Amino acid sequence: MKSRVFSGARPTGRQHLGNYLGAIQNYVSLQGEYTCVYCIVDVHALTSLEDTGSLQKNIHEMMLDWLAAGLDPQKSILFVQSHVPEVMQLHTLLSMVTPLSWLLRVPTFKEKVKLQPHNVNYGLVGYPVLMTADIVLYKAEVVPVGEDQLPHLELAREIVRRFNNLFGNTFPEPEAKLTSFPLILGLDGKEKMSKQLGNDIEIALSDEATIERVMTALTDPARRYRSDPGHPEICNIYRLQRYFNPFQLDDIAEQCRSAKIGCVDCKMLLAREINSTLKPFREQRATLAAKPRYITNVLADGAQRAQVIARETLKEVKLKMGLI
Ligand code: AMP
Ligand code: TRP
């Protein structure tokens, strides 16, 4: 039997370059070698109750992005977290073997407390336990994620070790798999690219909208006039050129340092490359968008396949924990 891969992402709607370069690239490339299970984690999204009215639309948009980017429902299991409710039971069971102190020290929990002080809910503390349940329900060994998820993965490994010690070897210790671009910064050039922070570039934008968005990016703050020499090593646009324009990198760096090109030229170069790289993706997305029933069918089929595995694992866990 092939080893399993699991990953999940919150239904934030259209995916951005951070998701694409940090995670989706690996989701796609792992499909040949492993049995892959990819999940839209709608229950996790409820830990930050903002706009639940758009959840269904977001799930649909995200799935369009995933499929158009190359996720293949013939090869991978694609589903929505709440459609396989066994994960909620496993979450409760794992919560009994997870010390509260481990959860309170998770950096993302501390960040969320700052970001939403009016809504520090119980689910937010348990977020990494639910994430662990997601992974171990499928006994996944490999978890493709961006760098921001590493503390969660570390905790998942600790929970697995503890469970295996207490109840006998049951779950493999999941390992994170990063891409070569595990942390993409946003248009502000400071924070990680994220929808919540409003500093993202969606991959499904039109060519014109992509150019407009790239033009708003902050570059080297020391370069205030066109004639000022630039510092590519600290410029986020240059970092993105590494992925989209790998063959012109040295030229761009030299022309920036000597002020032969300005930031607007450099951004235009980047935006054009983003558009040409994403052209096949965008065409495929438009084709799929015309077939909304297809997405519903893919998700229904994915949930069914996922549930077969989920039920088996949950039964084993209940047996080991003395519940049956
Ligand atoms: P999210 O949209 O936060 O649920 O993230 C979905 C996946 O994309 C996770 O594996 C994240 O680690 C990854 N990801 C999100 N934002 C970024 C970013 N700015 N750079 C790299 N990876 C990211
Ligand atoms: N916490 C992840 C994020 O915010 C989403 C997620 C939920 C996940 N469950 C997972 C990622 C399991 C990998 C494996 O992006």
Side-chain angles (χ1 to χ4, degrees):
M1 198 178 74
K2 285 188 193 172
S3 306
R4 287 205 194 106
V5 163
F6 183 96
S7 197
R10 291 166 306 135
T12 45
R14 293 183 167 202
Q15 301 285 272
H16 53 65
L17 283 180
N19 301 131
Y20 184 71
L21 301 179
I24 298 173
Q25 295 288 313
N26 270 344
Y27 297 174
V28 174
S29 68
L30 291 166
Q31 289 185 111
E33 204 182 325
Y34 296 88
T35 302
C36 296
V37 185
Y38 297 125
C39 178
I40 298 183
V41 293
D42 55 348
V43 180
H44 273 109
L46 298 181
T47 56
S48 313
L49 271 183
E50 260 145 41
D51 188 8
T52 54
S54 47
L55 264 181
Q56 296 310 314
K57 183 171 184 297
N58 285 351
I59 290 171
H60 185 83
E61 292 289 326
M62 227 168 121
M63 207 52 207
L64 272 177
D65 279 345
W66 280 11
L67 291 169
L71 289 192
D72 180 350
Q74 303 296 326
K75 290 187 188 151
S76 299
I77 298 179
L78 310 173
F79 75 107
V80 176
Q81 189 180 34
S82 68
H83 297 180
V84 183
E86 282 76 4
V87 75
M88 261 90 82
Q89 289 192 48
L90 185 58
H91 165 251
T92 305
L93 298 178
L94 291 181
S95 76
M96 308 304 170
V97 302
T98 310
L100 184 59
S101 58
W102 290 4
L103 297 172
L104 296 177
R105 65 170 199 237
V106 173
T108 45
F109 173 66
K110 293 183 192 160
E111 277 162 29
K112 286 283 179 180
V113 171
K114 272 196 211 137
L115 216 62
Q116 53 186 68
H118 50 286
N119 184 19
V120 182
N121 58 72
Y122 173 58
L124 209 52
V125 191
Y127 186 107
V129 185
L130 181 57
M131 180 162 160
T132 306
D134 281 329
I135 300 167
V136 303
L137 194 53
Y138 302 95
K139 301 198 175 182
E141 290 174 27
V142 180
V143 183
V145 280
E147 196 175 278
D148 60 313
Q149 295 301 313
L150 291 181
H152 288 154
L153 252 291
E154 207 32 66
L155 193 70
R157 292 162 64 83
E158 284 183 81
I159 296 174
V160 162
R161 281 198 287 270
R162 194 165 156 87
F163 187 97
N164 288 346
N165 273 335
L166 289 168
F167 301 107
N169 209 10
T170 310
F171 305 119
E173 273 185 44
E175 265 187 51
K177 173 138 181 92
L178 300 179
T179 67
S180 334
F181 294 84
L183 178 64
I184 302 294
L185 297 184
L187 291 165
D188 50 12
K190 288 193 200 96
E191 309 271 3
K192 79 164 183 178
M193 185 175 283
S194 122
K195 183 137 295 179
Q196 210 171 2
L197 297 172
N199 63 3
D200 61 322
I201 305 175
E202 290 176 353
I203 51 177
L205 291 179
S206 66
D207 286 3
E208 299 71 35
T210 304
I211 296 173
E212 267 174 41
R213 207 65 191 130
V214 171
M215 285 300 161
T216 66
L218 287 183
T219 50
D220 171 5
R223 206 171 175 199
R224 291 173 54 208
Y225 299 103
R226 169 71 178 72
S227 52
D228 289 338
H231 304 85
E233 60 287 350
I234 59 155
C235 177
N236 193 31
I237 291 294
Y238 182 73
R239 269 186 224 120
L240 287 172
Q241 303 276 22
R242 281 203 189 126
Y243 180 83
F244 288 101
N245 233 337
F247 303 115
Q248 291 189 62
L249 262 190
D250 292 344
D251 280 354
I252 295 171
E254 192 277 317
Q255 291 180 359
C256 168
R257 283 199 188 94
S258 57
K260 278 192 209 121
I261 52 166
C263 294
V264 172
D265 310 319
C266 184
K267 286 177 182 176
M268 189 50 106
L269 211 63
L270 175 68
R272 285 213 184 101
E273 285 304 319
I274 294 177
N275 287 337
S276 72
T277 307
L278 293 178
K279 189 164 186 276
F281 158 80
R282 288 172 180 170
E283 285 170 358
Q284 177 63 5
R285 193 183 199 280
T287 310
L288 290 170
K291 302 190 277 185
R293 292 283 316 158
Y294 176 67
I295 304 275
T296 318
N297 292 342
V298 165
L299 289 176
D301 174 64
Q304 243 179 26
R305 286 154 69 200
Q307 197 162 38
V308 173
I309 308 172
R311 286 196 170 139
E312 201 178 312
T313 310
L314 189 62
K315 191 169 166 204
E316 183 187 350
V317 169
K318 284 185 174 172
L319 263 170
K320 287 196 166 152
M321 292 183 96
L323 292 175
I324 35 181

